[in-house]
Amino acid sequence: MVDRGKGDGPPPNGMFDYDAELRRYQRRLREAVDVRADDLVLDIGCGTGQATREAAGLATRGSALGVDTSPVMVARARTLAAAEDLRNVRFEQADAQVHPFPPEHFTLGISRFGTMFFTDPVEAFTNIGRTLRPGARLVQLVWQDRNHQEWATAIQRALGPAPATAVDPFSLADPAAVDRVLTAAGFTDVHITDVREPVYYGPDPDTAVDAVRTLRMAGDPLTRLDADEAAQALDRLRTVMAEHTTTDGVWFDSRTWLIAARRQGSAAPEAGRFRR
């Protein structure tokens, strides 16, 4: 049974359901950010806005803004927010690396796997830091190294490696490098915690195969194959999904970093705001 928030439903055809996949991590992020009633929240790489909407629901005297570069996901986020009748949330199609956010506005920055794709991480986190108030928290989840992601290695074994692209979902996998980037961007009190949860791909192998085919990591390798090779590859993928099927659906192991930091400034941290 997939946990969904009020107003959620199956995504439009052709859109991968990241909210279902990452439902265990959403819980971990929610616990870590500890949204307060007066918070002004910025959700970076918000996707279809699940974390943004949850933050808005908790920030009853504040608000939440979700930004993402995908117009399709932003449109979906707006639809879901309207269905939930949330009045203190909004979404913008924007690149957080360069978007002109209002200076020193937000009291909390969050991201669920939305910060790994910056072309210049120092520039991006510097820009994000400018819009956070002094002492404001930035809490994010990022993937650890590919070798720690059963979902990635299993799919690659079935379909073959995807062509190299400029987009690297594992670009923040090195904790030492992350610490250097955030420090250079004006953050302090960097804490990095190992978090391990399974990710969900569907209720059964066929549904899981259909879901994965919408992802670039599967679509790109398949386009390089002729019809017979593609059919064989999909059979291998279906076998992989069957091997990972439980009574609660298709699950793969994964590992992430929960990264918490503060924007440098004179504001004193509030006791208990970090959870480690």
Side-chain angles (χ1 to χ4, degrees), residues 9 98 120 126 131 150 152 156 160 180 183 203 208 214 217 219 221 229 267 271:
V98 296
D120 187 331
T126 299
T131 197
E150 187 180 39
Q156 180 174 312
R180 289 193 297 270
T183 300
T214 67
M217 66 180 298
E229 292 171 333

Side-chain angles (χ1 to χ4, degrees), residues 2-254:
V2 177
D3 298 330
R4 298 185 185 276
K6 179 183 176 184
D8 285 10
N13 290 338
M15 181 184 291
F16 185 77
D17 193 345
Y18 291 103
D19 293 341
E21 179 198 24
L22 302 172
R23 72 194 208 193
R24 298 282 186 90
Y25 283 116
Q26 179 60 30
R27 181 188 64 196
R28 300 295 290 267
L29 181 65
R30 183 191 313 124
E31 293 170 351
V33 297
D34 189 23
V35 177
R36 304 294 180 90
D38 293 317
D39 271 327
L40 304 176
V41 184
L42 173 64
D43 185 6
I44 303 142
C46 66
T48 56
Q50 183 185 44
T52 326
R53 300 192 313 275
E54 284 196 4
L58 294 168
T60 53
R61 296 190 297 272
S63 63
L65 168 66
V67 297
D68 200 283
T69 58
S70 168
V72 175
M73 288 191 173
V74 168
R76 177 65 173 166
R78 289 169 176 162
T79 297
L80 293 172
E84 296 178 22
D85 196 28
L86 287 170
R87 307 297 178 87
N88 65 335
V89 66
R90 61 190 179 91
F91 298 93
E92 293 184 14
Q93 181 189 350
D95 181 350
Q97 179 168 314
V98 296
H99 186 69
F101 294 110
E104 298 189 358
H105 176 73
F106 295 98
T107 63
L108 173 63
I110 66 174
S111 181
R112 190 190 71 187
F113 305 104
T115 57
M116 300 95 64
F117 309 108
F118 297 130
T119 57
D120 187 331
V122 173
E123 177 187 1
F125 285 111
T126 299
N127 191 49
I128 292 166
R130 291 190 191 102
T131 197
L132 297 177
R133 294 181 184 177
R137 300 169 300 138
L138 173 63
V139 184
Q140 55 187 311
L141 280 167
V142 304
W143 295 117
Q144 292 189 25
D145 186 79
R146 175 187 291 273
N147 292 331
H148 293 152
Q149 315 304 335
E150 187 180 39
W151 55 272
T153 56
I155 292 171
Q156 180 174 312
R157 282 198 305 272
L159 302 181
T165 68
V167 176
D168 181 8
F170 311 107
S171 66
L172 298 178
D174 180 356
V178 169
D179 189 279
R180 289 193 297 270
V181 165
L182 290 176
T183 300
F187 288 87
T188 188
D189 296 332
V190 179
H191 298 284
I192 302 177
T193 305
D194 181 18
V195 179
R196 184 173 184 174
E197 293 282 2
V199 290
Y200 177 83
Y201 277 77
D204 55 69
D206 287 338
T207 303
V209 168
D210 290 342
V212 168
R213 290 186 68 179
T214 67
L215 298 173
R216 177 178 292 177
M217 66 180 298
D220 286 355
L222 287 171
T223 60
R224 297 179 297 171
L225 305 177
D226 63 31
D228 289 340
E229 292 171 333
Q232 294 171 15
L234 288 172
D235 284 342
R236 292 194 298 271
L237 182 60
R238 192 167 289 104
T239 298
V240 167
M241 297 302 177
E243 292 170 349
H244 289 81
T245 300
T246 71
T247 56
D248 193 32
V250 182
W251 295 86
F252 288 86
D253 192 23
S254 69

